[in-house]
Amino acid sequence: MIIDALELPAGTELQADVCIVGSGAAGIALALPFADGRHEVIVIEAGGARHEPETQALYAGEVADTRLHPPLDRYRERRYGGSTTTWGGRCVPFDPIDFEVRDYVPHSGWPIGHETLQPYYARATQLCEAGECAFDAASAFPRGLPPLLAGFDSASFSTDTLERFSCPTDFGRRYRQRLDAAANLRVLLHANVTGVELGDDGRAVSAVRAASLGGKTLRVRARCVILAAGGLENARLLLASDEVQRTGIGNAHDLVGRYYMCHLAGTTGTLALEPGVAVRYGYDVSDDGIYCRRRFALRADAQRRLGVGNFIARLHHPRITDPAHGSGALSLLYLAKPFIPYEYAKRLHGDDAHGIGRWLAHLGNLVRDPLQAFAFAWQMLTQRKLAERKFPSIIIEPRRPRFSLDFHAEQLPNPDSRVTLGSERDALGMRRLHLDWRYRREDVETVARALATFAADVRASGIGRYDYDPDAIEAEMLRYGAYGGHHIGTARMGRSPREGVVDTNLQVHGVDNLFVAGAAVFPTSSQANPTLTIVALSLRLAGHLQARLAAGAPHAAAPPRELAA
Amino acid sequence: MSARVLVLGGSGYIGGQVARTLAAAGGWQVIVASRRPRAAAGVRTLALDARNADALAGVVGGVDAVVNCVTGGPADIRANADALATALRRQARAPRLVHLSSMAVYGASTGRIDEWSVTAPQSGYGRAKCDAEDILRHCPNTVLLRPGCVYGPGSVQWSVRIAQLLRERRLGDLGADGDGYGNLVHVDDVVAAIRQSLYRDSAAGKTFNLSLADADLPTWNEYFVEFARRLGAVPVARIPARRLSLETQLLAPLLKLAELGLRRLGLDTGGLPPAITPSMRALWQQRIRLDSRRAAAELGLRWKPLGEGLAETAAALRVVPLARQPA
């Protein structure tokens, strides 16, 4: 059932077997397997059913360099459903190489392998409403597809891997009925967790403390507590809960908040194809009705040979802000930017000069090419605005075979990229985050070497040319700063407390009943968007917790561990 | 000399299948009774109003078993049960009665439901089925079967109409509206359950749920997507909730009116498109799982896997895949 904490008496104490902090992709995926089971579950959600500015403001924090990272109350939603209320829906599993120790990538390697997570991807894909777990073109399209780029012959890039798109599914809305109907589940809205309380020995959580903006407080006592509040907030909660473990929970080795990764993304260069070269730009719809898209994926052996991180690139339209593209549809988007949500309008602003001249040039494009603009607006209305399964992105077939390349690359783990507690406090008295996102030379190299290889392979294939400015790569990948919304690595998984905040079961080292779900636990970031893997890890964690609760694991009987405090 | 079995409602979908199967299997002399019997190979047909106790009494006296597949409106269902009970009470030796009830007796219940779960019918149909059970349960030598949604080649309700709706893209992935469990049971499994109920002495006085094993129950979304793929009705559409509301609140009542109008004019209603009714929508959301382990164990049934059943069903619909074949 779904309960508003504002309606509970002040000072309420609740009991459960499982307490999940957060109702986003991680929290809901974790709660659903418990529905109608025999364990009592409480999900604590800070927000309400809708976006509320005062609640959202609790996310605000300081950013060390605002050119490099968006404000902390952007790209995440403090509300029921979490950031799935705003995500784009791209579902991509991690690749086997992402889990490996790569000698050319310091701090790489997951303590679990691809095969450990693989069994959970099918159910995760289903929960994300992205259809069957078929992420290569051959299995998703058994009757075959025309080539992505005819004649492109590359030993380094695969054109066979797929991204599959969720509706995009707002987990809160989609699974509301199921959460509400389950008698053993309680979702508490408007309950902001302000601290995780440990017992005196620091070895187990005794209670989770929460407060509403109206000043009511409540406590939840549970046999297992899982932080599923997002990659930034999980770290904040661990660091801010410093009453017993003075440096924050699980932070004896100064790992919480470090290794903060996003992705490196940008749009660059021009792929000019010879006349007659067939190219499949855009989406293919699989039999199960899912928008799927192929892309150029740097193969694992090429990554090893080049000594770079994981990398993919998609064909893309020219930069929207530059009216030289001559496209009425793209100019329409430029002119419509005041009506497009911040998270998706960023690329419409960019850092180019703005002014009436540019605006007029776009208006000129629109006037010269009204049909394309109209067709595009119609598609956006019928296949996006009114559809429950939305056409995932802007696809405008160019008049000439010219594309830019939209890349999405792994950011390599870097202990100096981190979040810490700042000095300011929010309305509930919790210290706000200070975020210092850093990238390294090697991250630029991933993109540089991958693009150089792509350009060489295009040329060698004799199908055209890919021209780009190698010296502008760093500027391009930072044009909009770190890729928004992917908050990875702040409570990384590691076999020992020295290597990670959580163990392979996502349990905080040294704290017997505290777990972390979400991208915070990813030791590396892959080329893939994180949501699908977040959901897969949550499903795995649900299984682990169910087995543990069924076995009745008493706290006192836990095997001795290295003391974390 | 072979035993004699009377199939009431033998012109219906399930009754017809039962009669044919028993006749083909041998060992039974099959008498098919219905209001408008159709001649069929190997069976004797009999025109009979199954709501009339006197008419029934004249026939049930001479048979070893009765399979009651009579359906209709709530009043017909009750009248049939009353008449059948009355007719059976007049017999010195009660024939085995296998009565086909429905999962509708469980109404809007959710969770795992076995034969001891309380019945809580909601629809007029469900209440009538429940009353019929109560009337017939007290007849000696009776087996009650509660099938879920019977699908398979020729099943109008859960196969033929669904196929049409899938092809027209009026059905597909329903999102939260299709999260309920499809308590499907293949018609062959229902027929097998009836046969076993005729043979087995130990079945007398018992009630059995009939559906796929609960671990294998698909959600309705899974059923629709899988069936659409087998039909070649791809890509499967995502049906927005407001489209479903239009279907159930606007189109369904209009189709009902059209059906009544055509009937009044004495015209065929078969050309009307199928409706998606509010009760179907409610069922597709319902998280109910029939526990059919008792039937599997005591009637010795092995449920036909859904994939196999759907493949047969799609083949029977003689579909040319709409999708493009490889070049």
Side-chain angles (χ1 to χ4, degrees):
Chain A
M1 69 204 92
I2 298 178
I3 303 163
D4 199 318
L6 298 175
E7 287 160 17
L8 295 175
T12 298
E13 285 224 9
L14 299 167
Q15 298 267 354
D17 294 308
V18 179
C19 172
I20 300 169
V21 179
S23 70
I28 288 182
L30 185 55
L32 282 174
F34 285 94
D36 302 317
R38 56 200 189 85
H39 299 117
E40 291 288 323
V41 177
I42 291 179
V43 179
I44 309 186
E45 170 53 48
R50 287 182 194 79
H51 179 95
E52 295 157 7
E54 319 79 64
T55 300
Q56 184 70 16
L58 298 169
Y59 266 166
E62 308 154 23
V63 176
D65 185 340
T66 55
R67 289 167 308 173
L68 290 183
H69 198 282
L72 299 192
D73 56 347
R74 295 293 195 171
Y75 291 98
R76 52 185 190 141
E77 291 286 325
R78 197 173 172 105
R79 58 186 278 197
Y80 173 65
S83 301
T84 65
T85 56
T86 189
W87 72 311
R90 183 175 278 121
C91 293
V92 188
F94 273 38
D95 300 315
I97 190 173
D98 295 322
F99 299 84
E100 294 170 10
V101 175
R102 293 165 282 171
D103 52 17
Y104 50 91
V105 178
H107 315 290
S108 63
W110 290 43
I112 58 173
H114 181 254
E115 69 289 345
T116 307
L117 211 47
Q118 185 59 33
Y120 299 93
Y121 272 126
R123 183 85 190 102
T125 312
Q126 215 177 24
L127 274 183
C128 289
E129 297 194 289
E132 61 178 339
C133 188
F135 287 92
D136 61 283
S139 52
F141 294 90
R143 294 184 301 279
L145 285 176
L148 173 62
L149 181 55
F152 178 63
D153 182 20
S154 170
S156 301
F157 284 92
S158 159
T159 57
D160 198 44
T161 68
L162 289 183
E163 32 198 57
R164 303 176 70 94
F165 280 79
S166 171
C167 286
T169 300
D170 168 348
F171 276 49
R173 255 187 62 193
R174 175 64 180 81
Y175 298 112
R176 182 176 187 111
Q177 265 173 334
R178 270 156 74 177
L179 296 173
D180 209 13
N184 66 324
L185 294 187
R186 280 171 286 177
V187 181
L188 288 184
L189 303 180
H190 293 121
N192 299 276
V193 172
T194 52
V196 176
E197 298 176 357
L198 297 184
D200 291 339
D201 63 357
R203 302 279 303 271
V205 176
S206 56
V208 174
R209 195 168 63 229
S212 71
L213 276 172
K216 274 187 190 171
T217 58
L218 65 89
R219 269 190 172 69
V220 177
R221 298 185 189 279
R223 292 165 68 193
C224 301
V225 173
I226 303 92
L227 302 182
L232 297 177
E233 212 62 8
N234 284 342
R236 185 182 178 197
L237 284 168
L238 288 171
L239 292 172
S241 303
D242 58 0
E243 290 111 334
V244 177
Q245 297 187 7
R246 305 307 304 185
T247 56
I249 298 174
N251 198 29
H253 297 278
D254 190 21
L255 291 173
V256 175
R258 288 193 182 271
Y259 298 96
Y260 173 55
M261 294 166 279
C262 300
H263 281 107
L264 301 160
T267 305
T268 191
T270 303
L271 175 65
L273 299 176
E274 295 293 335
V277 172
V279 57
R280 183 77 184 97
Y281 173 49
Y283 296 91
D284 293 292
V285 179
S286 61
D287 280 356
D288 50 355
I290 309 300
Y291 289 110
C292 297
R293 196 169 183 198
R294 287 171 291 171
R295 63 273 178 71
F296 302 99
L298 192 62
R299 295 178 196 271
D301 48 0
Q303 291 176 40
R304 291 191 195 99
R305 193 177 66 242
L306 299 171
V308 299
N310 210 337
F311 174 97
I312 63 101
R314 294 175 283 262
L315 294 175
H316 203 67
H317 50 69
R319 189 178 305 147
I320 294 173
T321 49
D322 182 356
H325 51 62
S327 158
L330 293 178
S331 286
L332 176 69
L333 268 173
Y334 179 85
L335 297 170
K337 68 185 173 181
F339 306 102
I340 296 171
Y342 170 89
E343 279 76 5
Y344 294 97
K346 209 165 183 185
R347 291 186 171 196
L348 304 180
H349 297 279
D351 59 0
D352 310 79
H354 289 259
I356 190 72
R358 170 167 298 239
W359 197 85
L360 284 172
H362 280 291
L363 194 63
N365 282 344
L366 190 58
V367 171
R368 274 192 298 276
D369 195 5
L371 282 182
Q372 191 199 37
F374 180 78
F376 172 69
W378 182 251
Q379 186 202 25
M380 287 290 113
L381 176 71
T382 55
Q383 291 177 40
R384 208 174 152 83
K385 189 80 194 150
L386 297 177
E388 247 176 42
R389 185 168 286 289
K390 298 184 186 306
F391 192 82
S393 71
I394 295 153
I395 295 293
I396 289 160
E397 291 284 347
R399 301 230 182 282
R400 297 176 301 152
R402 299 276 182 283
F403 300 90
S404 67
L405 219 54
D406 190 30
F407 63 83
H408 195 257
E410 175 177 13
Q411 179 184 1
L412 304 181
N414 172 5
D416 297 331
S417 176
R418 67 186 301 200
V419 297
T420 49
L421 293 178
S423 48
E424 282 184 38
R425 289 179 187 269
D426 69 17
L428 294 169
M430 253 187 101
R431 285 168 71 186
R432 294 189 185 277
L433 279 181
H434 175 88
L435 186 145
D436 186 4
W437 178 73
R438 308 263 184 103
Y439 66 97
R440 295 194 314 191
R441 195 69 243 152
E442 290 84 336
D443 295 315
V444 183
E445 282 302 312
T446 294
V447 180
R449 291 183 199 169
L451 289 179
T453 306
F454 181 76
D457 288 356
V458 169
R459 203 180 315 116
S461 302
I463 52 172
R465 332 157 25 101
Y466 177 63
D467 294 319
Y468 68 106
D469 178 0
D471 298 328
I473 286 174
E474 189 166 353
E476 283 298 341
M477 68 180 229
L478 296 173
R479 180 184 288 271
Y480 313 110
Y483 193 80
H486 300 176
H487 308 133
I488 304 167
T490 55
R492 67 198 328 245
M493 198 191 306
R495 269 192 202 89
S496 74
R498 289 182 191 287
E499 294 166 294
V501 178
V502 298
D503 67 14
T504 54
N505 290 321
L506 309 187
Q507 183 199 321
V508 174
H509 281 292
V511 184
D512 191 55
N513 60 345
L514 180 62
F515 298 80
V516 180
V521 305
F522 298 2
T524 56
S525 63
S526 177
Q527 46 74 26
N529 297 47
T531 305
L532 185 71
T533 300
I534 291 172
V535 172
L537 270 175
S538 273
L539 294 173
R540 176 170 171 268
L541 176 56
H544 172 72
L545 292 175
Q546 281 168 339
R548 178 186 151 120
L549 288 166
H555 301 163
R561 285 170 206 275
E562 187 177 339
L563 267 185
Chain B
M1 188 186 130
S2 54
R4 292 195 295 177
V5 58
L6 170 69
V7 182
L8 296 172
S11 304
Y13 174 55
I14 295 171
Q17 298 261 16
V18 171
R20 277 193 295 280
T21 307
L22 291 177
W28 290 101
Q29 245 181 286
V30 182
I31 307 155
V32 166
S34 71
R35 264 179 286 182
R36 285 178 293 275
R38 278 172 284 182
V43 304
R44 235 182 83 200
T45 54
L46 195 64
L48 179 128
D49 183 351
R51 296 168 300 183
N52 183 324
D54 294 330
L56 282 172
V59 200
V60 297
V63 299
D64 302 288
V66 178
V67 179
N68 188 25
C69 303
V70 169
T71 189
D76 300 321
I77 291 169
R78 285 195 187 86
N80 159 252
D82 275 329
L84 187 54
T86 308
L88 289 171
R89 269 197 296 271
R90 292 186 201 161
Q91 308 309 315
R93 192 185 58 86
R96 165 64 52 90
L97 169 65
V98 181
H99 171 70
L100 217 58
S101 184
S102 162
M103 72 176 282
V105 299
Y106 299 119
S109 305
T110 56
R112 180 174 297 195
I113 300 291
D114 64 22
E115 293 84 350
W116 288 268
S117 303
V118 288
T119 54
Q122 291 215 313
S123 62
Y125 174 76
R127 280 190 295 270
K129 279 294 200 186
C130 213
D131 290 347
E133 280 191 2
D134 289 340
I135 296 161
L136 294 169
R137 183 177 289 119
H138 303 296
C139 298
N141 210 3
T142 296
V143 183
L144 298 179
L145 301 179
R146 291 174 179 161
C149 300
V150 182
Y151 81 104
S155 161
V156 172
Q157 193 172 13
W158 297 117
S159 294
V160 178
R161 281 195 196 147
I162 298 294
Q164 192 178 342
L165 291 166
L166 289 168
R167 287 204 189 113
E168 292 168 357
R169 303 299 192 273
R170 290 168 60 199
L171 264 190
D173 173 6
L174 308 182
D177 275 297
D179 267 350
Y181 290 107
N183 290 274
L184 294 152
V185 56
H186 193 278
V187 64
D188 289 354
D189 291 336
V190 177
V191 171
I194 292 171
R195 276 183 75 183
Q196 293 302 322
S197 303
L198 291 171
Y199 288 120
R200 298 192 183 219
D201 288 336
S202 60
K206 289 182 182 166
T207 303
F208 298 97
N209 287 339
L210 305 179
S211 79
L212 288 169
D214 69 355
D216 301 328
L217 290 178
T219 63
W220 284 102
N221 282 334
E222 287 164 352
Y223 179 64
F224 296 147
V225 171
E226 183 59 26
F227 193 21
R229 295 183 74 148
R230 303 263 177 186
L231 289 166
V234 292
V236 180
R238 168 69 173 221
I239 310 297
R242 59 171 183 278
R243 264 261 306 275
L244 267 187
S245 300
L246 275 181
E247 285 272 2
T248 56
Q249 285 159 33
L250 195 70
L251 192 57
L254 287 175
L255 285 168
K256 190 75 200 165
L257 279 177
E259 188 190 327
L260 292 175
L262 288 175
R263 280 241 176 88
R264 182 156 298 181
L265 295 171
L267 298 172
D268 179 30
T269 57
L272 284 176
I276 298 176
T277 62
S279 63
M280 287 158 90
R281 188 181 189 182
L283 180 69
W284 295 338
Q285 290 178 22
Q286 192 180 343
R287 303 278 288 180
I288 177 175
R289 299 157 80 105
L290 289 190
D291 182 339
S292 60
R293 284 177 296 184
R294 188 184 201 196
E298 298 189 23
L299 300 178
L301 300 174
R302 284 189 53 201
W303 311 111
K304 181 174 289 196
L306 184 63
E308 197 182 308
L310 282 178
E312 277 174 18
T313 310
L317 286 160
R318 277 200 300 267
V319 169
V320 183
L322 304 176
R324 195 166 38 82
Q325 293 301 307

